[in-house]
Amino acid sequence: MSGERVKGNAAVGYCLEMSTGDMRTVVRLLMAVERTEQQEHTLARVRTECERTDARFREQGIDLDISIGRALDELIDGTPSTDLCPAYSYAFYQAVAAHFSDPTDLGTWRGPTWFHAMDDELARHGVPSDLLPGTFLFSGPPLRLPHPGDAVPAIGTLPTRRAAALADAYGRVLDRLDPEFRGPARRFADALRFEAEEWEGARQLGTNPDTLLFWFH
């Protein structure tokens, strides 16, 4: 079943969440040949969350064809049994959630195609292509996953070091944007400015939450 059908009525809108962390820890968990005790503990938590999501979907009458728990095991083994199923995206997201910050709610949005109109508006005023929302929101995970089968759920990433550049670029053009896009651009600018400041603070403490992850579902 496609991610869009999992969501239900598209008229309700789609949720966008953002979190930050060190993506290398997620990749190491999923690709480790021999896991450490800490990794095994984390993996148990991830598996529990996958099972909870599976149970919730069953209650809602949603069939993904492959359970999220099974998709997690297949990702770990490196043996996905299909190239088209949203379960793998949900499994990957749970692995990220176990390592990243609590998600920031970026609100409810129309379908992914709406962001392409926002891209056009921002680009028209000189915002670089790598900072356009349609570019990073749907860029995909750092690991190759089976396609979800539709546009939703979607995973995107942006290097945290680019957060300040995005906030600056959006801030410079806010007053010139069409009113339809002004509020959304301000929301992104404010959220990414906060993340840029948090990143600088983390680096001073010796950590590097290098990735912003976007979860559109």
Side-chain angles (χ1 to χ4, degrees):
M1 177 176 284
S2 75
E4 195 158 21
R5 281 176 284 169
V6 167
K7 177 65 185 178
N9 185 358
V12 174
Y14 298 94
C15 298
L16 177 61
E17 299 174 357
M18 175 182 69
S19 56
T20 183
D22 185 344
M23 186 60 74
R24 292 169 298 182
T25 61
V26 180
V27 174
R28 283 196 290 264
L29 176 71
L30 295 176
M31 301 188 70
V33 176
E34 294 185 8
R35 285 184 292 275
T36 65
E37 182 178 347
Q38 179 59 45
Q39 285 176 320
E40 289 288 0
H41 178 71
T42 300
L43 185 58
R45 288 167 45 210
V46 173
R47 184 167 282 112
T48 296
E49 292 304 317
C50 289
E51 291 170 352
R52 286 176 177 169
T53 306
D54 279 327
R56 186 174 74 251
F57 282 174
R58 282 196 300 270
E59 291 175 359
Q60 296 171 354
I62 295 169
D63 180 10
L64 301 182
D65 298 328
I66 293 174
S67 72
I68 300 170
R70 175 180 162 185
L72 175 67
D73 290 335
E74 291 181 0
L75 288 179
I76 292 169
D77 293 339
T79 57
S81 56
T82 180
D83 58 3
L84 190 70
C85 182
Y88 300 92
S89 294
Y90 285 104
F92 180 81
Y93 175 75
Q94 292 300 341
V96 170
H99 294 89
F100 275 42
S101 66
D102 291 337
T104 297
D105 181 3
L106 292 179
T108 302
W109 304 79
R110 303 180 208 172
T113 56
W114 181 85
F115 286 99
H116 299 313
M118 187 174 176
D119 288 352
D120 292 341
E121 178 70 3
L122 290 168
R124 189 165 67 88
H125 293 288
V127 173
S129 60
D130 67 319
L131 299 179
L132 299 176
T135 299
F136 62 82
L137 291 180
F138 310 107
S139 58
L143 294 179
R144 184 179 178 86
L145 301 181
H147 195 278
D150 217 319
V152 180
I155 295 170
T157 63
L158 181 74
T160 314
R161 58 181 171 78
R162 296 291 285 156
L166 185 148
D168 289 343
Y170 286 26
R172 282 193 296 268
V173 303
L174 276 177
D175 293 342
R176 291 179 279 150
L177 296 178
D178 183 282
E180 179 182 0
F181 304 108
R182 194 173 300 150
R186 182 177 287 108
R187 183 183 302 179
F188 277 102
D190 291 345
L192 272 294
R193 176 66 66 195
F194 175 81
E195 293 298 341
E197 294 170 355
E198 289 289 296
W199 180 61
E200 289 294 347
R203 291 179 69 204
Q204 292 175 14
L205 294 174
T207 60
N208 182 25
D210 62 359
T211 303
L212 287 161
L213 180 124
F214 298 90
W215 175 238
F216 191 76
H217 62 108

